[in-house]
Amino acid sequence: MDAVSSWTARIGRVVSPAGDTASKQLYFAAIMLGYTVLISLSHVEMVLTGQFLAALGVLLVATALAVVIRWEELRPLWGALVPVLDMVAVALVRDLMRESSMAVSLLVLIPVLWMAARLRMTGVSIAVLAVTVLIAAPSLARADAIDSLTITHSLLLPFIVLQVGMLVVGALKLLDGQHRKLASALEEKAALLEAAATSEQLLKNVIDSVGVGIVVVDRDGHDVLMNSAQQRIHQISSPEGNDDPSEAELTLRYPGTTTPLPPDQRPVRRAVLQETYSNYLVSVGPAGVAGTTFAASARQILDRRGERDGAVVVFSDVSSYIEMVRSQQRFVAAVSHELRTPLTSVIGYLEMAQDTPELPPEAASYLEVAHRNAEQLLLIAQDLLADQVARSGTQKLTLRPHRLSAIAEQVVEDFALRAEQEGITVVQDVEQTPELSLDAPRLQQAVGNLLSNALKYTPAGGTVRVQTRVRQNEVELCVTDTGIGMSDQEQANLFTDYYRTETARDRHIPGHGIGLSLTRRLVVAHGGQISVRSRPGEGSTFTLRFAQRPEGGADGTA
Ligand code: ADP
């Protein structure tokens, strides 16, 4: 089967317009010789006639010319010489075979096809002329009577040659058109590929020249691009002895702590889970190594149909900025610490002054205002100090088995009087929770911040609910209020330092935006999570979640 197809392919190459003159002629000579041999089996006398031998002679000359001459160096018109000689040979043989002259005449179509293929309409014209002169004219000359029958029959062969030739020329023209189209399409494609390669190189140079780490993932979360800055970050965060870790194996921690980020909190994972976020702080690599805190931002990539096609995550090194902020924090801590002692003394003396008998009402009201503001100042100083201590990571958590439900009850009790004064109902919906490793006083401070906010941002007549419950492997504590609530946009920045919502500022509700960021840090230090759900005008729910496992990730540093 293989041999047959290889022969077919070879013959196809010879007879195609691309085949060279020598191989075409050898092919035609082989056909003519085969024909001669077959005839000589029964009519050897025909073959031995002068005319047949002359035909073979012409064929021999044509074949010799085809092999010897370098046709590609001559003008194309010379290409007609060998086919015309072949036609002469056919005409001579045909002349001998009177009985079956039409059948022999068909042999002439082979050189006609070659000429039409090579010289197009010129070839067809030469072929028609040659057939008329070599075959049609002699037939007419030999006819007994020249009438319409003989004329029509003699013109039949030139007519068929004309038709076949035109068919070949037409088909080749069509092929040429397709070939040109294909060539121009290929050229265009090559140019596009070249342009794509150039812009890819440009993009690579640009993203490699920026100082921020860039990683692009496809919709399944596989890396498709990582610039050199990101490769360095990858290297820093690789665990020791692992040169090619997967994303899940990289050492990523909550900023400034040794607490590892849970899998669904890792920046790339969050992006793969279709989150878009900005300035998400993470520390990478072994704890205590300088220059390793990054702000990550993620955006989703959409394809041309607007469907999600992956995500890009950018990491910028904020270590020096954080170091600067830390030194400012140390300064603020020192100042607030120093403020506490004189303020406590001022408050003490103000209280003594307020206790003075027969104080004029006007002076009493001045002292009242001074006392309230001094208290407020002391509160701010204390909060600032607590916040700075928590940020500096110097305060160790003292972890002991404790129930979150007990903390909730304690906090509700602490705030009962204030709630009553503010006309807010506090509902305690506490289900006893299992013991966890907690620093009770610090967590009490965190839950206290939430309850204090709930009371502060809920108008009189509202309700605040403190709830604990056990869910699967988690222990949950929720503080829900029916207060002013927050928009989605306000919630996005809620745990950022010194952030206050516009609603809170517009309503002149006192506060300084420290409580929630401090609360978040305390919760995270316990290996927990904090989240919020809120609607403007309807209220808010803050939820703390802790894994039931005691080794929930807490490292004991707030
Ligand atoms: P602040 O001292 O301003 O209350 P926080 O850090 O505790 O500082 O809170 C930050 C901001 O979050 C608040 O200023 C307020 O705008 C908003 N907020 C906090 N808790 C609530 C709440 N329960 N309802 C509405 N807004 C709240």
Side-chain angles (χ1 to χ4, degrees):
M1 202 59 205
D2 276 357
V4 174
S5 58
S6 103
W7 267 103
T8 320
R10 207 172 291 180
I11 292 174
R13 264 200 305 280
V14 170
V15 298
S16 82
D20 65 305
T21 307
S23 38
K24 275 186 180 139
Q25 180 57 26
L26 286 172
Y27 174 70
F28 183 72
I31 292 175
M32 286 300 282
L33 285 180
Y35 170 78
T36 309
V37 170
L38 290 176
I39 290 177
S40 60
L41 291 179
S42 55
H43 293 81
V44 73
E45 70 287 352
M46 271 189 180
V47 174
L48 293 177
T49 58
Q51 194 165 337
F52 204 106
L53 291 176
L56 289 181
V58 172
L59 187 70
L60 194 69
V61 171
T63 310
L65 289 176
V67 174
V68 172
I69 293 177
R70 290 168 171 271
W71 298 97
E72 61 283 356
E73 289 172 9
L74 298 180
R75 297 187 47 193
L77 208 57
W78 282 103
L81 181 63
V82 172
V84 168
L85 287 175
D86 289 341
M87 288 161 99
V88 171
V90 173
L92 288 170
V93 174
R94 178 194 174 276
D95 214 32
L96 274 175
M97 311 290 166
R98 292 275 159 82
E99 306 296 86
S100 38
S101 60
M102 207 55 204
V104 179
S105 302
L106 288 179
L107 275 173
V108 86
L109 287 179
I110 297 175
V112 167
L113 288 180
W114 294 346
M115 265 200 287
R118 177 160 299 174
L119 301 170
R120 304 295 163 98
M121 275 324 281
T122 315
V124 175
S125 313
I126 295 172
V128 172
L129 191 71
V131 169
T132 312
V133 171
L134 296 170
I135 298 175
S139 309
L140 209 57
R142 266 197 310 271
D144 299 334
I146 296 185
D147 54 17
S148 72
L149 183 76
T150 46
I151 293 175
T152 309
H153 279 175
S154 348
L155 288 181
L156 215 51
L157 192 62
F159 179 70
I160 289 174
V161 165
L162 179 68
Q163 292 309 308
V164 170
M166 282 185 359
L167 205 74
V168 171
V169 172
L172 286 177
K173 213 167 158 184
L174 212 70
L175 263 181
D176 283 350
Q178 282 174 352
H179 183 79
R180 268 197 302 278
K181 262 192 212 156
L182 194 73
S184 90
L186 282 176
E187 237 168 64
E188 237 170 73
K189 201 169 159 191
L192 281 176
L193 279 176
E194 176 68 27
T198 311
S199 49
E200 191 184 330
Q201 187 60 32
L202 181 71
L203 183 71
K204 198 174 168 331
N205 287 342
V206 170
I207 68 164
D208 273 345
S209 66
V210 294
V212 294
I214 300 173
V215 58
V216 178
V217 288
D218 63 16
R219 67 185 79 196
D220 302 318
H222 302 122
D223 290 357
V224 286
L225 188 149
M226 193 188 273
N227 72 344
S228 42
Q230 182 60 18
Q231 276 160 7
R232 277 194 299 279
I233 300 173
H234 206 78
Q235 230 168 27
I236 306 171
S237 44
S238 299
E240 230 178 69
N242 187 348
D243 292 337
D244 187 22
S246 66
E247 200 281 325
E249 289 170 323
L250 297 176
T251 312
L252 300 180
R253 300 173 274 112
Y254 282 108
T257 73
T258 53
T259 311
L261 283 179
D264 59 349
Q265 294 295 310
R266 301 166 74 87
V268 173
R269 184 77 195 130
R270 282 182 65 184
V272 171
L273 293 174
Q274 307 196 10
E275 264 191 76
T276 291
Y277 55 84
S278 300
N279 295 325
Y280 176 57
L281 289 187
V282 287
S283 288
V284 309
V289 176
T292 52
T293 299
F294 292 88
S297 301
R299 296 287 177 273
Q300 299 301 312
I301 301 171
L302 302 180
D303 64 16
R304 279 193 297 173
R305 278 162 298 167
E307 279 169 24
R308 190 181 159 270
D309 199 24
V312 55
V313 189
V314 176
F315 292 83
S316 43
D317 190 343
V318 290
S319 310
S320 56
Y321 169 74
I322 284 190
E323 197 34 57
M324 197 175 76
V325 171
R326 282 223 175 102
S327 66
Q328 279 174 2
Q329 284 167 352
R330 279 194 287 273
F331 173 74
V332 173
V335 171
S336 46
H337 186 262
E338 294 308 313
L339 274 178
R340 270 196 321 172
T341 321
L343 266 177
T344 316
S345 158
V346 168
I347 290 168
Y349 280 104
L350 281 173
E351 281 169 358
M352 277 164 60
Q354 279 179 307
D355 288 343
T356 314
E358 288 157 30
L359 198 63
E362 207 176 339
S365 90
Y366 292 159
L367 283 175
E368 162 67 23
V369 174
H371 183 256
R372 204 173 54 236
N373 281 295
E375 284 275 18
Q376 177 74 21
L377 211 56
L378 182 62
L379 211 66
I380 293 175
Q382 274 168 348
D383 268 0
L384 275 174
L385 188 61
D387 182 57
Q388 304 308 326
V389 169
R391 273 168 212 276
S392 63
T394 50
Q395 180 148 335
K396 274 274 175 201
L397 294 181
T398 312
L399 300 172
R400 296 224 171 78
H402 210 87
R403 293 184 203 280
L404 204 56
S405 46
I407 290 176
E409 284 165 350
Q410 182 63 54
V411 173
V412 170
E413 195 184 319
D414 292 349
F415 282 83
L417 189 65
R418 180 175 150 194
E420 200 185 314
Q421 284 169 349
E422 294 181 7
I424 295 170
T425 313
V426 176
V427 178
Q428 183 179 304
D429 178 8
V430 171
E431 170 188 333
Q432 197 187 59
T433 58
E435 286 186 331
L436 301 174
S437 276
L438 303 174
D439 184 328
R442 309 289 288 143
L443 215 53
Q444 209 162 308
Q445 187 185 0
V447 179
N449 283 341
L450 297 183
L451 187 51
S452 164
N453 277 350
L455 296 175
K456 190 160 65 167
Y457 297 106
T458 303
T463 305
V464 172
R465 174 184 292 266
V466 179
Q467 198 179 18
T468 57
R469 55 189 167 182
V470 183
R471 282 193 148 202
Q472 290 164 350
N473 291 330
E474 288 182 333
V475 177
E476 245 181 44
L477 183 148
C478 305
V479 178
T480 307
D481 62 57
T482 55
I484 60 173
M486 288 163 274
S487 67
D488 287 353
Q489 204 192 346
E490 288 174 330
Q491 288 171 49
N493 299 308
L494 203 58
F495 299 100
T496 313
D497 296 335
Y498 310 114
Y499 174 77
R500 306 207 65 220
T501 64
E502 220 162 288
T503 328
R505 277 188 276 123
D506 286 351
R507 296 186 183 211
H508 304 292
I509 303 174
H512 39 275
I514 292 177
L516 280 185
S517 57
L518 173 61
T519 302
R520 193 184 91 96
R521 250 188 306 283
L522 287 170
V523 172
V524 166
H526 279 85
Q529 290 175 350
I530 183 166
S531 60
V532 64
R533 260 185 309 121
S534 184
R535 271 169 174 268
E538 289 182 20
S540 314
T541 298
F542 285 85
T543 306
L544 308 186
R545 284 196 187 85
F546 298 90
Q548 279 211 46
R549 290 170 289 116
E551 68 276 10
D555 67 346
T557 308

mmCIF file of all heavy atoms in Angstrom, residues 287-322:
data_model
loop_
_atom_site.group_PDB
_atom_site.id
_atom_site.type_symbol
_atom_site.label_atom_id
_atom_site.label_comp_id
_atom_site.label_asym_id
_atom_site.label_seq_id
_atom_site.Cartn_x
_atom_site.Cartn_y
_atom_site.Cartn_z
ATOM 1 N N ALA A 287 10.712 34.634 60.477
ATOM 2 C CA ALA A 287 10.399 35.778 61.334
ATOM 3 C C ALA A 287 11.699 36.451 61.772
ATOM 4 O O ALA A 287 12.724 35.805 61.935
ATOM 5 C CB ALA A 287 9.637 35.283 62.557
ATOM 6 N N GLY A 288 11.632 37.764 61.906
ATOM 7 C CA GLY A 288 12.781 38.487 62.433
ATOM 8 C C GLY A 288 13.763 38.943 61.379
ATOM 9 O O GLY A 288 14.726 39.643 61.686
ATOM 10 N N VAL A 289 13.550 38.555 60.106
ATOM 11 C CA VAL A 289 14.463 39.021 59.058
ATOM 12 C C VAL A 289 13.952 40.355 58.533
ATOM 13 O O VAL A 289 12.773 40.490 58.222
ATOM 14 C CB VAL A 289 14.549 37.988 57.911
ATOM 15 C CG1 VAL A 289 15.423 38.518 56.784
ATOM 16 C CG2 VAL A 289 15.086 36.679 58.446
ATOM 17 N N ALA A 290 14.862 41.330 58.459
ATOM 18 C CA ALA A 290 14.435 42.677 58.044
ATOM 19 C C ALA A 290 14.082 42.705 56.563
ATOM 20 O O ALA A 290 14.512 41.844 55.793
ATOM 21 C CB ALA A 290 15.547 43.662 58.320
ATOM 22 N N GLY A 291 13.302 43.694 56.186
ATOM 23 C CA GLY A 291 12.998 43.923 54.760
ATOM 24 C C GLY A 291 12.060 42.910 54.170
ATOM 25 O O GLY A 291 12.200 42.523 53.021
ATOM 26 N N THR A 292 11.099 42.415 54.953
ATOM 27 C CA THR A 292 10.276 41.342 54.409
ATOM 28 C C THR A 292 8.779 41.560 54.589
ATOM 29 O O THR A 292 8.028 40.606 54.649
ATOM 30 C CB THR A 292 10.658 40.004 55.060
ATOM 31 O OG1 THR A 292 10.623 40.195 56.459
ATOM 32 C CG2 THR A 292 12.006 39.528 54.617
ATOM 33 N N THR A 293 8.338 42.797 54.711
ATOM 34 C CA THR A 293 6.888 43.015 54.778
ATOM 35 C C THR A 293 6.421 43.658 53.470
ATOM 36 O O THR A 293 7.030 44.610 52.986
ATOM 37 C CB THR A 293 6.508 43.880 55.990
ATOM 38 O OG1 THR A 293 6.929 43.180 57.146
ATOM 39 C CG2 THR A 293 5.010 44.090 56.080
ATOM 40 N N PHE A 294 5.380 43.078 52.907
ATOM 41 C CA PHE A 294 4.902 43.531 51.602
ATOM 42 C C PHE A 294 3.426 43.909 51.661
ATOM 43 O O PHE A 294 2.670 43.312 52.432
ATOM 44 C CB PHE A 294 5.079 42.422 50.551
ATOM 45 C CG PHE A 294 6.523 42.142 50.261
ATOM 46 C CD1 PHE A 294 7.229 41.230 51.025
ATOM 47 C CD2 PHE A 294 7.185 42.811 49.248
ATOM 48 C CE1 PHE A 294 8.568 40.990 50.784
ATOM 49 C CE2 PHE A 294 8.527 42.570 48.997
ATOM 50 C CZ PHE A 294 9.221 41.664 49.772
ATOM 51 N N ALA A 295 3.063 44.907 50.830
ATOM 52 C CA ALA A 295 1.647 45.255 50.684
ATOM 53 C C ALA A 295 1.184 44.615 49.382
ATOM 54 O O ALA A 295 1.716 44.918 48.316
ATOM 55 C CB ALA A 295 1.485 46.765 50.614
ATOM 56 N N ALA A 296 0.220 43.697 49.479
ATOM 57 C CA ALA A 296 -0.243 42.989 48.274
ATOM 58 C C ALA A 296 -1.562 43.607 47.794
ATOM 59 O O ALA A 296 -2.397 44.014 48.600
ATOM 60 C CB ALA A 296 -0.455 41.514 48.600
ATOM 61 N N SER A 297 -1.699 43.699 46.468
ATOM 62 C CA SER A 297 -2.957 44.166 45.878
ATOM 63 C C SER A 297 -3.311 43.219 44.743
ATOM 64 O O SER A 297 -2.415 42.776 44.021
ATOM 65 C CB SER A 297 -2.815 45.575 45.300
ATOM 66 O OG SER A 297 -2.420 46.450 46.316
ATOM 67 N N ALA A 298 -4.591 42.904 44.597
ATOM 68 C CA ALA A 298 -4.992 41.954 43.544
ATOM 69 C C ALA A 298 -6.119 42.532 42.707
ATOM 70 O O ALA A 298 -6.998 43.226 43.221
ATOM 71 C CB ALA A 298 -5.442 40.645 44.170
ATOM 72 N N ARG A 299 -6.044 42.267 41.410
ATOM 73 C CA ARG A 299 -7.126 42.643 40.490
ATOM 74 C C ARG A 299 -7.441 41.429 39.622
ATOM 75 O O ARG A 299 -6.542 40.683 39.247
ATOM 76 C CB ARG A 299 -6.709 43.806 39.569
ATOM 77 C CG ARG A 299 -6.412 45.106 40.298
ATOM 78 C CD ARG A 299 -7.689 45.772 40.820
ATOM 79 N NE ARG A 299 -7.403 46.977 41.563
ATOM 80 C CZ ARG A 299 -7.119 47.025 42.856
ATOM 81 N NH1 ARG A 299 -7.081 45.911 43.579
ATOM 82 N NH2 ARG A 299 -6.869 48.175 43.450
ATOM 83 N N GLN A 300 -8.726 41.284 39.272
ATOM 84 C CA GLN A 300 -9.124 40.178 38.400
ATOM 85 C C GLN A 300 -8.895 40.575 36.939
ATOM 86 O O GLN A 300 -9.057 41.737 36.578
ATOM 87 C CB GLN A 300 -10.595 39.829 38.619
ATOM 88 C CG GLN A 300 -10.910 39.374 40.038
ATOM 89 C CD GLN A 300 -10.119 38.149 40.464
ATOM 90 O OE1 GLN A 300 -10.050 37.178 39.718
ATOM 91 N NE2 GLN A 300 -9.487 38.201 41.629
ATOM 92 N N ILE A 301 -8.501 39.597 36.119
ATOM 93 C CA ILE A 301 -8.289 39.867 34.693
ATOM 94 C C ILE A 301 -9.515 39.343 33.933
ATOM 95 O O ILE A 301 -9.941 38.206 34.162
ATOM 96 C CB ILE A 301 -7.034 39.135 34.173
ATOM 97 C CG1 ILE A 301 -5.806 39.589 34.950
ATOM 98 C CG2 ILE A 301 -6.842 39.361 32.683
ATOM 99 C CD1 ILE A 301 -4.570 38.764 34.644
ATOM 100 N N LEU A 302 -10.043 40.182 33.040
ATOM 101 C CA LEU A 302 -11.199 39.754 32.252
ATOM 102 C C LEU A 302 -10.773 39.570 30.804
ATOM 103 O O LEU A 302 -9.927 40.318 30.304
ATOM 104 C CB LEU A 302 -12.305 40.806 32.328
ATOM 105 C CG LEU A 302 -12.810 41.137 33.735
ATOM 106 C CD1 LEU A 302 -13.892 42.194 33.675
ATOM 107 C CD2 LEU A 302 -13.353 39.888 34.424
ATOM 108 N N ASP A 303 -11.346 38.570 30.134
ATOM 109 C CA ASP A 303 -11.021 38.405 28.719
ATOM 110 C C ASP A 303 -11.940 39.310 27.883
ATOM 111 O O ASP A 303 -12.711 40.097 28.431
ATOM 112 C CB ASP A 303 -11.113 36.927 28.288
ATOM 113 C CG ASP A 303 -12.521 36.365 28.396
ATOM 114 O OD1 ASP A 303 -13.457 37.186 28.506
ATOM 115 O OD2 ASP A 303 -12.688 35.149 28.358
ATOM 116 N N ARG A 304 -11.833 39.168 26.540
ATOM 117 C CA ARG A 304 -12.569 40.120 25.686
ATOM 118 C C ARG A 304 -14.083 39.985 25.818
ATOM 119 O O ARG A 304 -14.831 40.898 25.550
ATOM 120 C CB ARG A 304 -12.145 39.941 24.231
ATOM 121 C CG ARG A 304 -10.833 40.671 23.978
ATOM 122 C CD ARG A 304 -10.563 40.772 22.525
ATOM 123 N NE ARG A 304 -10.398 39.446 21.956
ATOM 124 C CZ ARG A 304 -10.278 39.212 20.672
ATOM 125 N NH1 ARG A 304 -10.335 40.200 19.824
ATOM 126 N NH2 ARG A 304 -10.106 37.993 20.218
ATOM 127 N N ARG A 305 -14.519 38.785 26.267
ATOM 128 C CA ARG A 305 -15.966 38.618 26.451
ATOM 129 C C ARG A 305 -16.418 39.051 27.835
ATOM 130 O O ARG A 305 -17.558 38.901 28.208
ATOM 131 C CB ARG A 305 -16.325 37.144 26.238
ATOM 132 C CG ARG A 305 -16.466 36.802 24.761
ATOM 133 C CD ARG A 305 -16.386 35.319 24.590
ATOM 134 N NE ARG A 305 -15.084 34.848 25.050
ATOM 135 C CZ ARG A 305 -14.782 33.588 25.258
ATOM 136 N NH1 ARG A 305 -15.657 32.671 25.085
ATOM 137 N NH2 ARG A 305 -13.566 33.238 25.650
ATOM 138 N N GLY A 306 -15.441 39.554 28.616
ATOM 139 C CA GLY A 306 -15.782 40.036 29.957
ATOM 140 C C GLY A 306 -15.808 38.910 30.976
ATOM 141 O O GLY A 306 -16.239 39.101 32.093
ATOM 142 N N GLU A 307 -15.315 37.716 30.564
ATOM 143 C CA GLU A 307 -15.291 36.604 31.530
ATOM 144 C C GLU A 307 -13.953 36.584 32.253
ATOM 145 O O GLU A 307 -12.933 36.965 31.692
ATOM 146 C CB GLU A 307 -15.503 35.282 30.784
ATOM 147 C CG GLU A 307 -16.965 35.052 30.504
ATOM 148 C CD GLU A 307 -17.179 33.912 29.542
ATOM 149 O OE1 GLU A 307 -16.321 33.041 29.445
ATOM 150 O OE2 GLU A 307 -18.233 33.925 28.870
ATOM 151 N N ARG A 308 -13.986 36.104 33.500
ATOM 152 C CA ARG A 308 -12.773 36.098 34.308
ATOM 153 C C ARG A 308 -11.728 35.171 33.694
ATOM 154 O O ARG A 308 -12.022 34.040 33.339
ATOM 155 C CB ARG A 308 -13.120 35.618 35.720
ATOM 156 C CG ARG A 308 -11.986 35.804 36.648
ATOM 157 C CD ARG A 308 -12.306 35.311 38.027
ATOM 158 N NE ARG A 308 -11.063 35.072 38.712
ATOM 159 C CZ ARG A 308 -10.415 33.919 38.692
ATOM 160 N NH1 ARG A 308 -10.928 32.901 38.071
ATOM 161 N NH2 ARG A 308 -9.263 33.795 39.310
ATOM 162 N N ASP A 309 -10.486 35.698 33.564
ATOM 163 C CA ASP A 309 -9.460 34.930 32.881
ATOM 164 C C ASP A 309 -8.243 34.720 33.777
ATOM 165 O O ASP A 309 -7.202 34.287 33.308
ATOM 166 C CB ASP A 309 -9.056 35.686 31.610
ATOM 167 C CG ASP A 309 -8.372 34.775 30.625
ATOM 168 O OD1 ASP A 309 -8.611 33.563 30.709
ATOM 169 O OD2 ASP A 309 -7.590 35.269 29.799
ATOM 170 N N GLY A 310 -8.354 35.087 35.052
ATOM 171 C CA GLY A 310 -7.218 34.952 35.959
ATOM 172 C C GLY A 310 -7.110 36.191 36.815
ATOM 173 O O GLY A 310 -8.072 36.959 36.939
ATOM 174 N N ALA A 311 -5.920 36.363 37.415
ATOM 175 C CA ALA A 311 -5.759 37.527 38.304
ATOM 176 C C ALA A 311 -4.310 37.966 38.309
ATOM 177 O O ALA A 311 -3.411 37.178 37.976
ATOM 178 C CB ALA A 311 -6.203 37.161 39.712
ATOM 179 N N VAL A 312 -4.117 39.235 38.630
ATOM 180 C CA VAL A 312 -2.742 39.730 38.781
ATOM 181 C C VAL A 312 -2.593 40.198 40.227
ATOM 182 O O VAL A 312 -3.477 40.861 40.766
ATOM 183 C CB VAL A 312 -2.426 40.828 37.732
ATOM 184 C CG1 VAL A 312 -3.410 41.964 37.770
ATOM 185 C CG2 VAL A 312 -1.024 41.389 37.965
ATOM 186 N N VAL A 313 -1.483 39.784 40.848
ATOM 187 C CA VAL A 313 -1.222 40.180 42.237
ATOM 188 C C VAL A 313 0.110 40.929 42.260
ATOM 189 O O VAL A 313 1.089 40.476 41.656
ATOM 190 C CB VAL A 313 -1.151 38.953 43.173
ATOM 191 C CG1 VAL A 313 -1.112 39.398 44.629
ATOM 192 C CG2 VAL A 313 -2.325 38.030 42.952
ATOM 193 N N VAL A 314 0.105 42.090 42.913
ATOM 194 C CA VAL A 314 1.307 42.930 42.957
ATOM 195 C C VAL A 314 1.773 43.041 44.411
ATOM 196 O O VAL A 314 0.961 43.268 45.306
ATOM 197 C CB VAL A 314 0.970 44.331 42.401
ATOM 198 C CG1 VAL A 314 2.151 45.259 42.527
ATOM 199 C CG2 VAL A 314 0.541 44.218 40.949
ATOM 200 N N PHE A 315 3.076 42.852 44.624
ATOM 201 C CA PHE A 315 3.634 42.936 45.984
ATOM 202 C C PHE A 315 4.627 44.090 46.047
ATOM 203 O O PHE A 315 5.605 44.085 45.295
ATOM 204 C CB PHE A 315 4.397 41.653 46.317
ATOM 205 C CG PHE A 315 3.520 40.440 46.464
ATOM 206 C CD1 PHE A 315 3.112 39.724 45.339
ATOM 207 C CD2 PHE A 315 3.106 40.004 47.707
ATOM 208 C CE1 PHE A 315 2.307 38.599 45.464
ATOM 209 C CE2 PHE A 315 2.299 38.887 47.843
ATOM 210 C CZ PHE A 315 1.900 38.178 46.730
ATOM 211 N N SER A 316 4.370 45.096 46.917
ATOM 212 C CA SER A 316 5.399 46.132 47.042
ATOM 213 C C SER A 316 5.981 46.108 48.453
ATOM 214 O O SER A 316 5.246 45.934 49.440
ATOM 215 C CB SER A 316 4.861 47.504 46.655
ATOM 216 O OG SER A 316 3.606 47.681 47.193
ATOM 217 N N ASP A 317 7.278 46.269 48.473
ATOM 218 C CA ASP A 317 8.018 46.187 49.733
ATOM 219 C C ASP A 317 7.729 47.430 50.566
ATOM 220 O O ASP A 317 8.050 48.540 50.160
ATOM 221 C CB ASP A 317 9.511 46.078 49.413
ATOM 222 C CG ASP A 317 10.305 45.745 50.663
ATOM 223 O OD1 ASP A 317 9.760 45.926 51.766
ATOM 224 O OD2 ASP A 317 11.456 45.298 50.528
ATOM 225 N N VAL A 318 7.101 47.244 51.741
ATOM 226 C CA VAL A 318 6.776 48.397 52.591
ATOM 227 C C VAL A 318 7.555 48.320 53.901
ATOM 228 O O VAL A 318 7.208 48.990 54.867
ATOM 229 C CB VAL A 318 5.251 48.463 52.865
ATOM 230 C CG1 VAL A 318 4.490 48.833 51.626
ATOM 231 C CG2 VAL A 318 4.726 47.154 53.428
ATOM 232 N N SER A 319 8.631 47.499 53.916
ATOM 233 C CA SER A 319 9.364 47.296 55.164
ATOM 234 C C SER A 319 9.925 48.610 55.710
ATOM 235 O O SER A 319 9.821 48.882 56.905
ATOM 236 C CB SER A 319 10.502 46.316 54.941
ATOM 237 O OG SER A 319 9.992 45.197 54.307
ATOM 238 N N SER A 320 10.510 49.439 54.819
ATOM 239 C CA SER A 320 11.131 50.671 55.332
ATOM 240 C C SER A 320 10.046 51.620 55.848
ATOM 241 O O SER A 320 10.215 52.283 56.870
ATOM 242 C CB SER A 320 11.960 51.344 54.241
ATOM 243 O OG SER A 320 11.138 51.571 53.143
ATOM 244 N N TYR A 321 8.909 51.628 55.133
ATOM 245 C CA TYR A 321 7.790 52.466 55.567
ATOM 246 C C TYR A 321 7.313 52.000 56.946
ATOM 247 O O TYR A 321 7.081 52.799 57.850
ATOM 248 C CB TYR A 321 6.666 52.359 54.525
ATOM 249 C CG TYR A 321 5.363 52.944 54.958
ATOM 250 C CD1 TYR A 321 5.181 54.324 55.016
ATOM 251 C CD2 TYR A 321 4.299 52.120 55.331
ATOM 252 C CE1 TYR A 321 3.977 54.855 55.430
ATOM 253 C CE2 TYR A 321 3.102 52.647 55.741
ATOM 254 C CZ TYR A 321 2.941 54.020 55.788
ATOM 255 O OH TYR A 321 1.759 54.537 56.202
ATOM 256 N N ILE A 322 7.230 50.677 57.098
ATOM 257 C CA ILE A 322 6.752 50.126 58.369
ATOM 258 C C ILE A 322 7.741 50.456 59.500
ATOM 259 O O ILE A 322 7.351 50.822 60.606
ATOM 260 C CB ILE A 322 6.535 48.610 58.229
ATOM 261 C CG1 ILE A 322 5.248 48.423 57.446
ATOM 262 C CG2 ILE A 322 6.513 47.905 59.574
ATOM 263 C CD1 ILE A 322 4.720 47.049 57.376
#
